[in-house]
Amino acid sequence: MSSKDWIEKDFYAVLGVDKAASADDVKKAYRKVARESHPDHNPGDPKAEERFKAASEAYNVLSDSGRRREYDEMRSLFGSGAFRRNARGGGQPGGVPFDVSDMFGGAGGGDRRFGGAGFQDLFSSIFSGGQAGGQAAPRGPARGRDVETEVALDFGDAVRGVTLPLTLRAPGVCDTCHGNGAKPGTQPRTCPVCHGAGVTTRDQGSFSFSEPCRNCQGVGTVVEEKCPECHGSGGVTKTRTMNVRFPAGVADGQRIRLAGRGEPGERGGPAGDLFVQVKVRPDELFGRTGDDLTLSVPVTFAEAVLGTDLRVPTLDGAVTLRVPPGTPSGRVLRARGKGVVRRDGQAGDLLVTLDVVVPARLSDEARTALESFAEQTPPAAREHLDARVRRVS
Ligand SMILES: [Zn+2]
Ligand SMILES: [Zn+2]
């Protein structure tokens, strides 16, 4: 199996967990998949067997905090995105499409992000076959992980732009035990059951299969005295707060990339990027279409017929709009420059839709006046409809 095969595998998807899933969640998810797809429960079902094997493989990597970190780093550098280079130009590391075979063909051409360590070193240290306990070779600088988060903005803030403090919670390596889960001063011991392999092999009828070692949960090592900080998991949740500037005119559903604001790099590597998915809360009055704001204004029949001056709110004040006599319902009036201010300083418009309202109730005086109005008014132009009615009935 080539390194490329490894990279193309999404171990998180196999276990059905989020990339940020805790070690505990990974364990739970693995156990669930393993239980469901266990060959004992699915005799003669090759799909179940395949799923069972894939889950074991995924768990092997994700259950070891060190190997999981390397797998994540590798995927964020040239994982998923790089293999779909026609799909989306901007999402790839570095933004430059590159050929997969270039990456794996050469003898670890010196990518600057890895300092001295070539690709081969990186891969072999990740997938060295589960010899946990063996000290990983020292690695060069590694780029920090990209971080995804979501922010809800008030309508007005999105239109005008706003700076908000963002608090990010992300899994990180425990500083007390440096991720090995052992109490400071102690070391994890090689698992006596699997001898560090993390998996045990069982013969089951005509085939044998391996499953993660129960004694060490597939880690390959056992911790005798747990780290008091992380309770042996090797990972902690780290919280960071930073101020993020949202530009004027940011729209609902937009994804903002803040270069270098993701997780810090390791061993002097550059930080990852922060991606913020923006949700804009609806406003009770205004809607938005691109750079234009929209507003619906009820007017009476008399106002539409006779014309009037309307005083309507804008996002930052009010304007007067002239409704000319004889304006039909649904007509859109435009208040220029009262929309969203774009980056180039130009602004969209406020589009005011007139909505002629029909009163549900009338006073006696109003009814009398309206009846007399009706007598003075020619009927609505419906001849073309009447003709069709006569033909079909
Ligand atoms: Zn074991
Ligand atoms: Zn710890």
Side-chain angles (χ1 to χ4, degrees):
M1 186 171 284
S2 75
S3 304
K4 177 172 174 257
D5 290 325
W6 282 103
I7 292 182
E8 282 182 304
K9 291 189 173 172
D10 188 342
F11 292 145
Y12 293 98
V14 167
L15 296 182
V17 293
D18 193 276
K19 212 174 154 241
S22 69
D24 216 44
D25 290 343
V26 167
K27 193 191 292 179
K28 276 184 201 146
Y30 165 69
R31 285 186 176 157
K32 182 168 175 284
V33 177
R35 207 166 41 237
E36 286 168 355
S37 61
H38 198 287
D40 284 357
H41 301 148
N42 304 273
D45 181 351
K47 271 196 182 150
E49 193 192 332
E50 210 172 277
R51 190 163 170 241
F52 183 77
K53 281 182 181 164
S56 299
E57 183 183 55
Y59 186 65
N60 243 328
V61 173
L62 298 188
S63 61
D64 180 307
S65 60
R67 283 203 283 165
R68 176 177 176 180
R69 193 168 57 241
E70 288 174 297
Y71 172 71
D72 286 342
E73 282 171 7
M74 187 179 63
R75 275 178 68 87
S76 79
L77 280 175
F78 30 73
S80 42
F83 291 92
R84 279 179 268 113
R85 58 195 168 109
N86 293 327
R88 206 158 49 96
Q92 294 157 12
V96 185
F98 55 93
D99 191 331
V100 172
S101 59
D102 292 344
M103 269 166 48
F104 299 104
D111 186 300
R112 60 192 153 77
R113 285 173 296 210
F114 287 95
F119 291 122
Q120 312 288 6
D121 303 21
L122 178 72
F123 291 135
S124 56
S125 78
I126 296 169
F127 299 112
S128 53
Q131 284 304 325
Q135 199 63 34
R139 285 169 284 122
R143 181 178 179 273
R145 277 190 230 174
D146 290 342
V147 177
E148 293 265 355
T149 189
E150 200 180 281
V151 163
L153 299 182
D154 284 334
F155 188 89
D157 285 347
V159 170
R160 297 182 198 100
V162 66
T163 300
L164 287 180
L166 267 191
T167 299
L168 298 176
R169 289 161 56 82
V173 176
C174 174
D175 291 324
T176 305
C177 63
H178 305 291
N180 70 15
K183 185 178 163 187
T186 71
Q187 282 293 324
R189 207 158 55 81
T190 302
C191 172
V193 174
C194 62
H195 307 291
V199 288
T200 51
T201 307
R202 261 208 299 152
D203 285 325
Q204 183 75 45
S206 54
F207 61 90
S208 68
F209 59 89
S210 47
E211 60 181 4
C213 172
R214 281 155 206 255
N215 187 51
C216 62
Q217 273 85 41
V219 178
T221 55
V222 285
V223 172
E224 315 240 277
E225 289 185 84
K226 289 182 175 170
C227 164
E229 183 68 31
C230 62
H231 310 291
S233 72
V236 290
T237 300
K238 293 188 173 176
T239 304
R240 277 192 298 149
T241 302
M242 67 182 87
N243 284 324
V244 173
R245 172 81 196 153
F246 294 91
V250 65
D252 185 52
Q254 213 171 315
R255 193 163 174 263
I256 295 179
R257 173 172 172 267
L258 296 149
R261 304 293 290 273
E263 286 191 22
E266 285 179 44
R267 297 172 296 277
D273 297 337
L274 172 63
F275 292 92
V276 184
Q277 184 79 43
V278 175
K279 300 260 171 218
V280 178
R281 297 190 194 97
D283 187 81
E284 57 180 13
L285 295 182
F286 298 100
R288 189 173 153 187
T289 310
D291 293 330
D292 294 332
L293 295 179
T294 59
L295 180 68
S296 178
V297 177
V299 292
T300 66
F301 176 67
E303 285 173 325
V305 174
L306 303 175
T308 186
D309 283 346
L310 285 180
R311 190 84 179 138
V312 299
T314 67
L315 211 52
D316 295 307
V319 286
T320 301
L321 287 178
R322 166 138 300 178
V323 180
T327 298
S329 183
R331 170 67 55 88
V332 177
L333 305 176
R334 190 178 286 267
R336 289 203 186 278
K338 298 296 179 185
V340 179
V341 179
R342 294 191 302 257
R343 199 171 287 188
D344 62 6
Q346 302 283 88
D349 302 331
L350 172 64
L351 304 179
V352 176
T353 302
L354 299 182
D355 179 19
V356 173
V357 289
V358 174
R361 244 165 246 251
L362 286 179
S363 68
D364 290 345
E365 290 83 355
R367 174 175 300 276
T368 307
L370 194 59
E371 281 166 355
S372 122
F373 166 81
E375 282 163 22
Q376 308 286 322
T377 317
R382 294 198 287 261
E383 297 87 349
H384 57 303
L385 301 177
D386 293 340
R388 180 66 66 91
V389 168
R390 275 195 302 277
R391 219 186 319 149
V392 295
S393 53

